[in-house]
Amino acid sequence: TDRKKLHTAPVGQVFRLRPFHVLVATGGGYAGYRKYEDYKLEQLEKRGIEVPVKLASEWEVALYKSVPTRLLSRAWGRLNQVELPTWLRKPVYSLYIWTFGVNMKEAAVEDLHHYRNLSEFFRRKLKPQARPVCCLHSVISPSDGKILNFGQVKNCEVEQVKGVTYSLESFLGPRICAEELHFSQVPAGNSFQQQLVTKEGNELYHCVIYLAPGDYHCFHSPTDWRVSHRRHFPGSLMSVNPGVARWIKELFCHNERVVLTGDWKHGFFSLTAVGATNVGSIRIYFDQDLHTNSPCYSKGSYNDFSFISNNNKEGIPMRKGEHLGEFNLGSTIVLIFEAPKDFKFHLKAGQKIRFGEALGSL
């Protein structure tokens, strides 16, 4: 008789299980599990233990894609634009610096109070002398980062990490007209890879650079070349850290990316900026029409923009080391280019590299 009566409502009125909630909870939980698995793999690699490749199944990729990473990335972008009170800036940025090992002594402005929001802090400029550009080698690193893979392109397949590949044609999309890229006409019967190689005796090479959250977020021109065309692929925004790149085949073909193509003195040259979670915004300085991570897009679609016009027959000339674009957070840059057979990379897989350092030369 001393017990109080509890008035309860039907469960259906208290909580309604909606598909969106299920997707977020399930996908988010699985993404967290994958992060933990990636951490374990990184620890094994640091100890010198080779980890066998284990690719994700179709349902695992579909489950990962169910996480609303595009929506979360847009929300993160808006949060980054919020101006922080002056008293809060140093604690927030100091935590980020400590977590990701940022070297603020290289920043053009070392005073943390100078950066009004996280976006400005991510896009901080460096002191001119912090990244000297190597003049002795033909191709330099366009950014700070970690070398995931490099070498010759074989059988129209490119390695994103050792043992995990993606289709060259799926990544770059259909070949752009030869006139626009200043190339001679290549027979249509040739493979996609052969169509990109314009000079006899040349080979197609690639290099994949992963930018961690603590890295310098701007990227620069890796050589002297002319940008003729931009192709934007809307897509997913899955993480591109090495653990996920080792797990999901054709990860870079799933994700949103901006492909810049053109030519250099040895033929075809391309630089692709790949989006990732919380990196929906990819900015190319000379391309004001580019808008990434839009709320709506058609799956498998892409849009093209030509820098060749009646008034500009040469496209956009870029000098080695010149500012090219920026990410809002760490991501990935993929270089695919044509060069003579004696082109040599001066790299090791897994090494850290900084903008301006040599990638390779003839």
Side-chain angles (χ1 to χ4, degrees), residues 178-233:
E179 291 78 11
E180 188 173 327
L181 293 180
H182 307 282
F183 293 161
S184 58
Q185 192 65 41
V186 180
N190 290 0
S191 70
F192 183 80
Q193 179 177 338
Q194 291 171 329
Q195 291 178 34
L196 294 180
V197 178
T198 63
K199 298 181 180 179
E200 187 176 352
N202 280 4
E203 297 287 348
L204 206 60
Y205 297 87
H206 74 99
C207 183
V208 183
I209 305 169
Y210 167 68
L211 288 74
D215 287 327
Y216 169 56
H217 293 105
C218 296
F219 51 93
H220 302 246
S221 176
T223 192
D224 295 336
W225 65 306
R226 295 178 297 179
V227 184
S228 305
H229 188 272
R230 179 259 291 161
R231 177 169 285 161
H232 172 217
F233 291 85

Side-chain angles (χ1 to χ4, degrees), residues 68-302:
T69 51
R70 293 180 64 85
L71 176 62
L72 293 173
S73 296
R74 284 195 296 275
W76 175 253
R78 291 182 181 179
L79 179 63
N80 288 347
Q81 299 292 335
V82 175
E83 185 169 341
L84 297 176
T86 305
W87 62 269
L88 189 59
R89 294 174 189 176
K90 188 171 183 178
V92 171
Y93 301 147
S94 295
L95 178 61
Y96 186 90
I97 290 168
W98 177 80
T99 303
F100 296 108
V102 178
N103 183 4
M104 284 302 294
K105 291 183 179 180
E106 297 177 333
V109 180
E110 297 183 38
D111 183 12
L112 297 181
H113 296 102
H114 169 80
Y115 303 100
R116 295 173 298 176
N117 51 47
L118 283 166
S119 182
E120 285 189 2
F121 179 71
F122 293 146
R123 295 181 287 108
R124 65 193 177 277
K125 304 300 181 184
L126 298 182
K127 294 173 182 175
Q129 67 273 18
R131 295 290 187 277
V133 175
C134 177
C135 299
L136 300 177
H137 299 276
S138 54
V139 183
I140 62 169
S141 177
S143 66
D144 289 7
K146 179 181 180 180
I147 301 296
L148 295 190
N149 216 304
F150 62 92
Q152 283 189 18
V153 177
K154 298 180 180 179
N155 302 320
C156 295
E157 292 280 324
V158 187
E159 280 194 316
Q160 59 191 30
V161 293
K162 185 178 180 181
V164 182
T165 62
Y166 56 92
S167 163
L168 178 65
E169 186 169 7
S170 297
F171 182 69
L172 295 178
R175 189 169 184 269
I176 303 157
C177 67
E179 291 78 11
E180 188 173 327
L181 293 180
H182 307 282
F183 293 161
S184 58
Q185 192 65 41
V186 180
N190 290 0
S191 70
F192 183 80
Q193 179 177 338
Q194 291 171 329
Q195 291 178 34
L196 294 180
V197 178
T198 63
K199 298 181 180 179
E200 187 176 352
N202 280 4
E203 297 287 348
L204 206 60
Y205 297 87
H206 74 99
C207 183
V208 183
I209 305 169
Y210 167 68
L211 288 74
D215 287 327
Y216 169 56
H217 293 105
C218 296
F219 51 93
H220 302 246
S221 176
T223 192
D224 295 336
W225 65 306
R226 295 178 297 179
V227 184
S228 305
H229 188 272
R230 179 259 291 161
R231 177 169 285 161
H232 172 217
F233 291 85
S236 302
L237 288 174
M238 295 183 283
S239 171
V240 292
N241 75 56
V244 178
R246 188 185 295 107
W247 179 55
I248 297 180
K249 183 179 174 64
E250 299 201 331
L251 171 65
F252 299 155
C253 297
H254 289 293
N255 272 17
E256 182 159 12
R257 60 197 181 279
V258 177
V259 183
L260 299 177
T261 52
D263 63 295
W264 69 321
K265 61 183 179 181
H266 299 296
F268 174 81
F269 199 96
S270 73
L271 180 149
T272 302
V274 183
T277 308
N278 294 335
V279 198
S281 175
I282 301 171
R283 183 183 174 194
I284 304 298
Y285 294 138
F286 57 75
D287 188 356
Q288 301 302 316
D289 295 322
L290 175 65
H291 300 286
T292 56
N293 196 11
S294 300
C296 299
Y297 73 97
S298 299
K299 186 177 180 180
S301 66
Y302 62 86

Side-chain angles (χ1 to χ4, degrees), residues 29-45:
Y30 192 74
Y33 165 73
R34 287 306 314 172
K35 285 287 187 182
Y36 173 68
E37 289 294 308
D38 296 341
Y39 171 76
K40 291 199 299 183
L41 289 175
E42 288 178 6
Q43 296 305 307
L44 290 174
E45 285 184 344

